[in-house]
Amino acid sequence: MSGYNPQPPPTNESSVHKANCHCGAVRFTVTLSPPLHEYPVMNCNCSICSRNGYLLVYPDTKDFVLERGEDVLKDHRFNSRQVRHRFCGQCGSSCFVQLPDPDPPFVCVNVRMFEGIDVDKLKIRKEDGRSWKGEYKPEFN
Ligand SMILES: [Zn+2]
């Protein structure tokens, strides 16, 4: 992931969003700039994004606050096993993605967890991750 920065340039405006997994065990708050209605939300066709239904935004780490759920979150890791795809261990919602420590600059957050989200109103940015991430093979054959 080094050198890869999917964050759009911030603007003078921001929006704040409460988010939770389906069962509510995981709750977090996200501040976005540009605000969500202007934010290019990533819709990627790679193996993990398509399976998890990720629609991703990239708040600075300081603008992502995990209110509760650290104890129930589980990780899915693959390839280099550095990146933590974090999902609720109770309900299975794919919540967010954390980059390797120390001090990752941003968190990849699934806007599908946001309260009141209307996917049809998002400014979607398509990414052809299937092409640049290489061939996908399940680990269990
Ligand atoms: Zn849950």
Side-chain angles (χ1 to χ4, degrees):
M1 298 294 285
S2 65
Y4 174 67
N5 187 353
Q7 292 183 294
T11 63
N12 293 330
E13 289 184 282
S14 61
S15 59
V16 180
H17 305 275
K18 288 180 185 284
N20 59 273
C21 68
H22 192 262
C23 75
V26 178
R27 294 176 194 265
F28 52 95
T29 302
V30 175
T31 303
L32 289 178
S33 182
L36 183 61
H37 69 277
E38 296 174 2
Y39 201 103
V41 177
M42 181 81 83
N43 181 6
C44 175
N45 64 4
C46 83
S47 61
I48 189 73
C49 287
S50 60
R51 280 172 178 75
N52 285 353
Y54 284 150
L55 290 174
L56 295 177
V57 294
Y58 304 91
D60 289 346
T61 300
K62 68 173 171 50
D63 292 328
F64 171 87
V65 179
L66 183 62
E67 315 281 358
R68 57 181 274 191
E70 184 61 54
D71 52 332
V72 300
L73 281 163
K74 291 190 180 301
D75 290 2
H76 171 56
R77 303 181 188 226
F78 56 98
N79 290 349
S80 68
R81 312 205 116 64
Q82 300 286 300
V83 176
R84 306 167 76 188
H85 291 264
R86 310 209 69 189
F87 62 96
C88 175
Q90 293 185 14
C91 70
S93 295
S94 297
C95 296
F96 53 91
V97 183
Q98 287 176 309
L99 304 177
D101 287 333
D103 300 326
F106 57 87
V107 183
C108 315
V109 175
N110 190 358
V111 297
R112 289 183 185 274
M113 303 302 121
F114 286 14
E115 279 182 5
I117 192 74
D118 183 346
V119 169
D120 291 335
K121 293 197 171 137
L122 298 175
K123 185 179 156 187
I124 296 291
R125 176 179 145 215
K126 287 201 172 185
E127 179 66 60
D128 185 20
R130 185 167 295 177
S131 295
W132 55 263
K133 285 188 179 173
E135 188 186 359
Y136 162 69
K137 290 195 189 98
E139 294 186 2
F140 300 97
N141 291 310

